[in-house]
Structures are given as C-alpha cells and as structure tokens.
C-alpha cells in the first residue's frame, strides 16, 4: 500500500457521519423535563417564573486541522425549528474567533472557517449562537453555547529535548546494562489516533548497544566491551510516531557513550632486565634512575606501588614511588665504593594499589623486573689511616727529631702517589714540618711545654697527579714535661725583723713554685747558700720553709737591711735548683712585735735631715713648678697674630681667647677701603648686649678725595671711643696697599692690539734692576735695523 492510498483511506475514515456532520439535528425539549426545570425556578415578586420552551439544542462541531483547500472550510449549519424558510430569522455568531476565524451565513446558518487551523495552537473554540427576528430584532431562541473541536492530524514529528546526549557505562559490563534513557515528545494529540504514539529504534551503534522501543532506554548489547580496545561510541536513536508504522513522522538524536575504566589490567614491566649506572661518589639519597610498569588502566586503577623484594643490594639501595608519574625512583641508601663492589642486582616488584575483586580471574595484579646497577669509578681524594692522630713528645728533644708519621692511601684502583703538607694556618710559628713523601712529622724549632703544652696541626694529603683531590686530617701533638725549670719564690716577700727580736723567732714563711709538672707532684727543698749568723732556714717538708732569727736583738742604725740567700731545689731528674735572695729590713717594733718604723728614717737621720726638713723641700719644689707653669702660659699668650710673613691678608683677626667668635662680623668692612664714600650708617652690634643702650652716632660721609690713611685713622679713633665696641679681646689689623704705581702693565698680551710702536725708554730711569727690561723693549729699533 502506497502512502497516497493510505492518505485516501484516512480521509474517508475521518469524514464518516459520526465525526463530521454538516447539519445538526434539533429536537424539542420534552414537556416533563420542562416542567422539571420550571419546578426549580425561584419565585419573583410573588409570581412563578416560567422558562420559555427551548426550540433548539446545539451539539459539538468537529473540524479537521490544516485544511489545504482553496475555499473556506465548511464547519456546520445552525438551524432553528422556528425558521420557516421565509428569511424572517437572522443567525448571529459570537465567541472565540467569531467574525474573523469563523463566519456564519445570517440567512442559512452555515458556518465556515476562513483559514487553516493548527490544533497544536488551540484544540477547541467555544462560541455562542442566537436566532433573532429580522424585523423586530427580538430573539426567537435563547442564546446557546457550542464547541468547535479541532481534529488532529499527524503533522508533528517526534522531537528530542537534546540534540546530543552524553552518557557513560563501565567497561566489561554485562549485556543489558542500562546506559541512559532518551525521551522524545510529539506535539500531536495523544488521545486521538496514533499520531503521538512514539516508538524508538537504533539507527547507529549496533551491535554494541540496543534501545527499548517503548521506553527509549539504551542498554549494552555485547559482553566484555574493553575500554582499552575502544573507549568512545556514537549511537543514533530514532523516534517514530504512528506506533512506528509506515507513514509516521520521525526524529533522531545522537548519544555519545564513553566506557569508563575498571581495574581489569595488571601492571607490566616493558623489560625483564633494566641496567642503571651510578658514580661511587654519589651521596646518600641521590636518585640514580627510575623504573616504570605500564598499566592500560587509568586513574586510581593504574596506581602502582614499587618495592625491592630481593637482590644483593637491598641494604645499599631504596625505591620510592612517585605518585604523579607512577614511577619507581631508585635512590642510594648507603655510601658506595667502586673498589669494594662494582655491580649490584635488585628484584623490583610493581603492584596495583586498588584491585577489583571481580577481575581476580585475570591474573595477579603485580609484576617484577631485575635491576642491575653498575658502580662507576671516580677519582677520590686520599684516605688517611685514622680519622685523627695523637703524638706525644718530650720538650727536650733535638730539632729535627721525628715525632710521628701519618699514613694515607689513594682509594682508587690506579693508586696515585700522595704528597703530604702542613696547613700553615695551624702552625704559624713553623715549629713543625713534614716530609712530603712519607708523612713523617718532625720538629723545626725547640719545644717548650711551659709556653704551649698542645699543638693542633692539620696535615693535607693530595694526589700528585691531581692536586685538587686532597684530604685533611687533624694531628694533636702533646708536649711532655721535662724538668728544665728551677723552682723560685712563689711571691715577692717583704720581710722585716724587729730590733728587739729574740733567737728562734719566726719572721717569714716562704714557699716556691716550679713551671715544670712532674708526674709525682712538686717537692721542694729549702736551705741557705752559706751559714748565716743572723738567720736560719727550717724546711717544713710541705713545700714551705720558715725563716728564724739566730741572735738576740738587731740595731737598725748599724745595719738596716740584711740579704739572705735561700737555695730552692726540686726532687725531679735532673735536679734543678735556684737561689732566691730574701731582703730583711730591721724595724722598730712595740712590745707585741708590731712594726712602727723601718730603715728609711734611720738612713736619713745621720745626714742631719729631719722629717720637717723633707716636707719643706717638697713644698719648695711644688712652688717652683707652679711658677714655671704660669710663666709658660703667659709666654704662649704673647704669640704674634701673623704667624708667617707669607700669611698677609686684607683683614686678619686673631682670637687668643673665646672672644666674639663668628658673630663678630662687623669689625671692619674692607669694601670701605676701596671706596671710602660707601661708608654705611653705623649699626648696633649683634654679638653683645651693652649695659646701656647708646644711640649710634652718625659718621659724616668722607669726600671722594679723602686719603685712605686719614680714613683709617678716623675709623680707629672712632672705634676706640665707642663704648659698644665688639669683644675687647679681639684685635683688628688693617693694611693699606698704597697708591697706584705709575708704571703701566709690562705684559705683552695687548701689544699686538696697539696701532703704533711703544716707547719703553722710561724703563732705564727706574734703576739698574730694570736695565734688562729696557734692553729687551728699548732696543727694538736696532734689532730691526740689523
């Protein structure tokens, strides 16, 4: 059956009598019903209102939408049983579209539609009809309401709200897994025919997906769809009305479906063996390389954790997982040594951190690889046999004695020769030296433990072939003590003996010190260098001794001071001893032995000088010094103002005391010397506050021909008599250059500008000093002639 045959059958079916009635049948309202209606009509003004008998009753009109004919479309006919056909009645139409969309023939009651009607715009129209007497214009029937319902035709195709849908479904999903639902809408009347009954079908996307015809739900159609094989799919869905029958209208939409990732792929190393290299000088923590296991999954499904599970380098290397790049970074865990070991082997494992139990059957989600790390040799600095050295030596060894030897070797396989040296910043006095070849330290100067007991040296070992490769080591030299210092008095003793001393009386307790430090401790012995009749020494055997008197009484007038040599010796080997002289003064004491006066007065009394005489002499000396100081001070005050003949100025002011200082700016104006007529009116001093305010006197203006000497004298006289003069300890000096010289300029700079020759014969009149000038300038004519 062709589409044209189908449309013809459809039009015939639509125009059946129960759908399209060109004339409406009217019937009288039965009398019982009229009575029933009248029974419910309320009374008004005491009278029973009677409803008029209705002469017509309207039914519903039906009109087909989208009429394509050239004439007006006929809707139906209104007719009253009061109409006798004589044209006395007039039909009036009002309501939706009356007069514009719908028109009525006033005589016959035929209704027509003036244009095409779209049901999707408005499905029905409500109008009112009335029949009136054409002559009296009085209604012959009550106004009645009727409906024109628009019959739908299939003129709208199904449409989807979205032109393109986006959906996703996990990969490896089972068949029938719901992906997304699409829904199309049809603007036709769903209650009339199949114009709005939509059926869905798939035009593109098979055999991967399918769609339910009634609901539009898209589902997977193939099992185990793998994202790693194909991730994006484009599905085209068609929606067709008329229940999908032929002749129905259709619309399509596109659905872009993405397969989301699941962890269905284990990590895999691309190589079974990986080779890396690292320098033996690499410090701990250095990254030497990376390994990476590839995983076809994405996101967290591809996250991998690396670990070293076996190998001979598990204690030398470590591996860190980089979360951003999903790489395993291998780092140095302990210091490396090429000479000890040159190759390490590691077994590295990579395992997924998020495993989906549904895919355990696909195998273990981990993989391993072998990493071989080669250690590369570098030129290392020499290595000392010890981290530090300690040498002990006695201080009395001879210069050039070896005190110890440091040893170093080149750890490289080439074993370069080594040269030793001393860091002179640690041996500024150059007490030690070192043999560059064998590292033997020896002394170059005598040692003294008492000056320095320890020496902290630094020895440098450097390769001869590569001097930049060097190593330093600390060498501590301890100087051992030798008994080479004699004991001495611990302090200076101020010893005195009373004139009234008795034999055996203690006058002083002495002790000694020794710079040496013997192992057994200090032990001193005290004795007299010779037998002394006045004093004796008694050793206390505790490194102290007592000085005792041997006679009864001393006389300071006869002997005021005694010198007592005391021998002090130690007990170390070799024994060292020294003699210390003890000075003992004879003093006058009271009965308790307290000193009152000593030998100073006793020495002066025999010369006839008393204490008062000494005081007088001291006073005289002090007075002479004061007088001499005053004289020198006065001499300095008389220094001349002009200190040098070369220091000649127009106005020199010298201040020998505080004076007026910088405020004394009006002492004299040198400009008045050059122009006596420019004398200003006298101004008050700014640097002093006079006790009485004097009215400044007005100085008469000097005439133009006033001599400068007279002017200066007048100004000096004026200042001498001025009670408001500046500070009186200032001196103003005025100098006058003198009158102009009668001699003109001797310069030859302007000689070229003169029109004629000049005569310099007057130079001969100035005396013998100007003869040479006269010959130079006066002999011009003779030179020209010659």
């Amino acid at each position: 059956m062709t589409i044209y045959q189908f449309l013809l059958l459809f039009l015939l079916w639509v125009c059946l009598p129960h759908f399209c009635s060109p004339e409406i049948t009217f019937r009288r309202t039965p009398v019982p019903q009229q009575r029933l209606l009248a029974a419910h009509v309320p009374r008004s003004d005491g009278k029973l209102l009677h409803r008029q008998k209705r002469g017509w009753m309207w039914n519903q009109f039906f009109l087909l939408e989208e009429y394509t004919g050239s004439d007006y479309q006929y809707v139906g006919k209104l007719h009253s049983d009061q109409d006798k056909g004589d044209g006395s009645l007039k039909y009036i139409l009002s309501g939706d579209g009356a007069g514009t969309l719908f028109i009525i023939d006033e005589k016959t009651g035929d209704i027509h539609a003036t244009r095409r009607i779209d049901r999707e715009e408005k499905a029905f129209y409500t109008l009112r009809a009335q029949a009136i007497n054409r002559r009296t214009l009085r209604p012959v029937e009550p106004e009645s309401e009727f409906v024109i319902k628009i019959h739908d035709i299939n003129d709208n195709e199904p449409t989807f709200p979205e032109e393109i849908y986006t959906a996703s479904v996990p990969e490896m999903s089972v068949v029938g897994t719901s992906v997304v639902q699409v829904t199309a809408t049809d603007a036709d009347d769903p209650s009339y025919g199949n114009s709005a009954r939509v059926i869905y079908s798939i035009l593109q996307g098979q055999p991967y997906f399918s769609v339910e015809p009634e609901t539009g739900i898209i589902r997977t159609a193939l099992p185990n769809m793998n994202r790693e094989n194909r991730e994006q799919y484009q599905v085209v869905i068609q929606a067709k009305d008329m229940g999908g029958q032929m002749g129905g209208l259709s619309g399509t939409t596109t659905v872009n479906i993405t397969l989301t990732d699941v962890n269905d792929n284990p990590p895999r190393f691309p190589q079974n063996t990986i080779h890396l290299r690292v320098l033996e000088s690499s410090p701990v923590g250095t990254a030497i390389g990376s390994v990476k296991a590839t995983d076809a999954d994405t996101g967290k499904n591809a996250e991998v954790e690396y670990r070293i599970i076996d190998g001979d380098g598990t204690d030398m290397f470590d591996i860190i997982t980089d979360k951003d790049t999903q790489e395993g970074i291998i780092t140095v865990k302990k210091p490396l040594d090429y000479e000890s070991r040159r190759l390490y082997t590691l077994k590295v494992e990579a395992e997924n951190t998020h495993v989906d139990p549904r895919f355990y059957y696909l195998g273990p989600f981990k993989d391993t690889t072998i990493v071989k790390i080669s250690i590369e040799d570098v030129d290392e600095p020499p290595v000392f046999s010890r981290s530090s050295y300690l040498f002990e030596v006695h201080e009395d060894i001879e210069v050039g004695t070896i005190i110890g030897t440091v040893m170093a070797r080149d750890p490289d396989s080439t074993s370069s020769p080594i040269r030793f040296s001393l860091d002179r910043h640690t041996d500024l006095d150059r007490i030690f030296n070192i043999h560059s070849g064998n590292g033997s330290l020896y002394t170059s100067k005598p040692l003294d433990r008492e000056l320095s007991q320890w020496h902290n040296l630094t020895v440098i070992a450097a390769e001869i072939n590569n001097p930049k490769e060097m190593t330093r080591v600390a060498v501590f030299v301890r100087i051992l003590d030798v008994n080479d210092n004699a004991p001495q008095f611990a302090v200076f003793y101020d010893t005195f003996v009373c004139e009234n001393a008795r034999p055996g009386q203690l006058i002083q307790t002495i002790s000694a010190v020794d710079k040496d430090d013997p192992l057994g401790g200090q032990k001193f012995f005290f004795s007299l260098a010779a037998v002394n009749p006045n004093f004796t020494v008694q050793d206390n055997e505790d490194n102290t001794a007592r000085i005792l008197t041997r006679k009864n009484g001393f006389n300071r007038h006869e002997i005021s001071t005694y010198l007592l040599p005391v021998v002090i010796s130690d007990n170390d080997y070799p024994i060292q001893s020294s003699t210390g002289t003890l000075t003992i003064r004879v003093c006058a004491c009271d009965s308790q032995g307290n000193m009152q006066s000593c030998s100073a007065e006793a020495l002066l009394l025999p010369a006839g000088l008393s204490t008062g005489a000494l005081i007088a002499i001291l006073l005289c000396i002090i007075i002479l010094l004061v007088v001499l100081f005053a004289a020198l001070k006065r001499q300095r005050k008389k220094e001349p103002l002009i200190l040098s003949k070369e220091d000649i100025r127009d106005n020199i002011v010298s201040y020998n005391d505080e004076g007026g200082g910088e405020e004394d700016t009006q002492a004299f104006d040198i400009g008045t010397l050059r122009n006596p007529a420019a004398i200003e009116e006298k101004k008050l001093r700014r640097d002093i506050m006079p006790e009485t305010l004097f009215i400044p006197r007005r100085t008469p203006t000097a005439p133009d021909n006033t001599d400068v000497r007279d002017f200066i004298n007048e100004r000096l006289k004026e200042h001498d008599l001025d009670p408001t003069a500046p500070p009186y300890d200032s001196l103003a000096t005025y100098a006058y250059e003198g009158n102009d010289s009668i001699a003109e300029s001797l310069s030859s700079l302007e000689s070229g500008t003169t029109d004629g020759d000049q005569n310099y014969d007057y130079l001969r009149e100035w005396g013998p000093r100007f003869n040479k000038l006269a010959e130079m300038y006066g002999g011009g004519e003779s030179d020209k002639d010659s």
Side-chain angles (χ1 to χ4, degrees), residues 48-65:
L48 181 64
L49 296 179
H50 295 279
R51 181 178 178 182
Q52 294 181 352
K53 182 180 66 174
R54 184 170 180 175
W56 56 1
M57 183 176 180
W58 305 104
N59 287 334
Q60 194 175 43
F61 288 106
F62 296 92
L63 182 64
L64 193 65
E65 69 169 335

Side-chain angles (χ1 to χ4, degrees), residues 383-391 405-408 471-474:
V383 178
F384 283 96
S385 60
R386 301 179 189 175
S387 59
S388 63
Y389 293 86
L390 173 62
F391 299 138
T405 302
V406 296
M407 299 180 64
T471 306
R472 298 170 179 264
V473 70

